[in-house]
């Protein structure tokens, strides 16, 4: 999956589960496996753009890295973590809304967010593109726990493609309206568990920015 685009959310989650299962199989410990995944993704993001672009099969690279970290820890069992290397990131919502917005602004935000949500729920990419501003951006946060794109996606066409690929038509997934930081947003769930929370910024009658949280540490309260 290219860092400037997006594979499906199912692919990203399946990749993470695949790596987690390898680490759990080698250690029999979910805590140690999570540590291994965190270190694996840290090494991925430590690569520069050219190095990541030169990796033809990222999943293969990540699998080999998980294996090498596991082997190194098994060779030195005292370094296998018995507690989290750091506390989980606090649950935070998406960008903070301006203080004291008027009722009219909130109502407009709600109408536009609902148009965006309806396009996502119906899988209508044309409607999705129509609600996005020409210079719309998409920003995603995997928190080093999901291999989300590093850079924002720019432009209505690219943003619509990104959102459609990431959120629309995921097997067993359900997109629902939710209050995100006091405004209308979306939550995507699979098997009852939140896998993405989405907030939008609006101007006039268009969505100008889409903010997507994918970091599992920030999604606990949404389950």
């Amino acid at each position: 999956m290219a860092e400037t685009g997006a594979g499906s959310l199912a692919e990203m989650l399946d990749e993470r589960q695949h790596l987690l299962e390898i680490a759990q199989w080698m250690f029999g410990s979910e805590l140690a496996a999570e540590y291994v995944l965190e270190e694996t993704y840290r090494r991925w993001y430590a690569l520069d753009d050219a190095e990541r672009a030169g990796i033809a099969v990222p999943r293969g690279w990540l699998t080999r890295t998980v294996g090498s970290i596991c082997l190194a820890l098994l060779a030195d069992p005292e370094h296998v973590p018995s507690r989290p290397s750091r506390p989980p990131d606090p649950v935070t919502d998406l960008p903070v809304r301006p203080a004291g917005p008027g009722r009219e602004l909130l109502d407009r935000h709600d109408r536009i967010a609902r148009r965006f949500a309806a396009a996502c729920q119906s899988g209508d990419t044309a409607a999705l593109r129509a609600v996005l501003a020409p210079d719309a951006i998409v920003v995603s946060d995997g928190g080093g726990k999901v291999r989300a794109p590093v850079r924002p996606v720019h432009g209505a066409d690219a943003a619509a493609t990104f959102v459609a690929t990431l959120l629309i038509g995921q097997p067993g997934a359900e997109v629902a309206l939710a209050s995100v930081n006091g405004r209308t947003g979306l939550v995507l769930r699979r098997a009852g568990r939140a896998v993405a929370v989405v907030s939008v910024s609006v101007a006039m009658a268009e969505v100008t920015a889409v903010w997507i949280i994918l970091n599992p540490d920030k999604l606990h309260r949404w389950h």
Side-chain angles (χ1 to χ4, degrees):
M1 179 179 64
E3 291 297 302
T4 54
S8 71
L9 184 57
E11 289 171 347
M12 285 193 288
L13 295 174
D14 288 346
E15 173 188 275
R16 188 176 191 278
Q17 185 61 31
H18 166 71
L19 300 175
L20 187 63
E21 288 173 356
I22 292 173
Q24 286 179 327
W25 177 76
M26 296 188 77
F27 284 109
S29 163
E30 184 174 350
L31 178 60
E34 288 286 355
Y35 169 84
V36 170
L37 255 66
E38 183 174 334
E39 175 61 17
T40 298
Y41 283 118
R42 186 195 68 76
R43 294 185 187 185
W44 172 263
Y45 287 112
L47 300 174
D48 62 31
D49 291 346
E51 288 173 322
R52 282 197 295 268
I55 297 172
V57 185
R59 180 167 172 148
W61 186 95
L62 292 165
T63 299
R64 289 191 297 273
T65 302
V66 163
S68 67
I69 294 170
C70 287
L71 291 173
L73 289 174
L74 288 170
D76 189 7
E78 292 184 1
H79 287 84
V80 176
S82 57
R83 61 182 183 275
S85 57
R86 59 177 175 79
D89 290 340
V91 174
T92 57
D93 283 334
L94 292 151
V96 177
R97 60 188 171 94
R103 185 73 254 170
E104 183 180 343
L105 293 177
L106 283 176
D107 288 345
R108 183 177 66 186
H109 182 281
D110 179 72
R111 290 194 302 272
I112 298 168
R114 286 175 180 273
R115 283 180 57 203
F116 176 85
C120 290
Q121 290 170 324
S122 66
D124 189 340
T125 54
L128 185 60
R129 191 177 294 107
V131 76
L132 291 167
D135 58 351
I137 66 168
V138 182
V139 180
S140 59
D141 171 24
K145 302 296 183 72
V146 176
R147 193 163 53 86
V150 174
R151 294 190 179 86
V153 175
H154 295 270
D157 288 340
T161 299
F162 182 101
V163 172
T165 303
L166 191 65
L167 300 180
I168 293 176
Q170 298 298 329
E174 178 183 83
V175 178
L177 288 170
S179 176
V180 181
N181 199 29
R183 293 189 175 191
T184 303
L186 300 173
V187 59
L188 180 70
R189 291 187 173 90
R190 295 178 74 199
R193 295 183 65 81
V195 293
V197 171
V198 183
S199 179
V200 296
S201 299
V202 307
M204 303 302 288
E206 299 172 320
V207 171
T208 57
V210 181
W211 312 90
I212 304 175
I213 289 292
L214 299 167
N215 182 352
D217 289 345
K218 296 181 180 180
L219 297 175
H220 290 302
R221 76 181 182 88
W222 293 92
H223 298 329

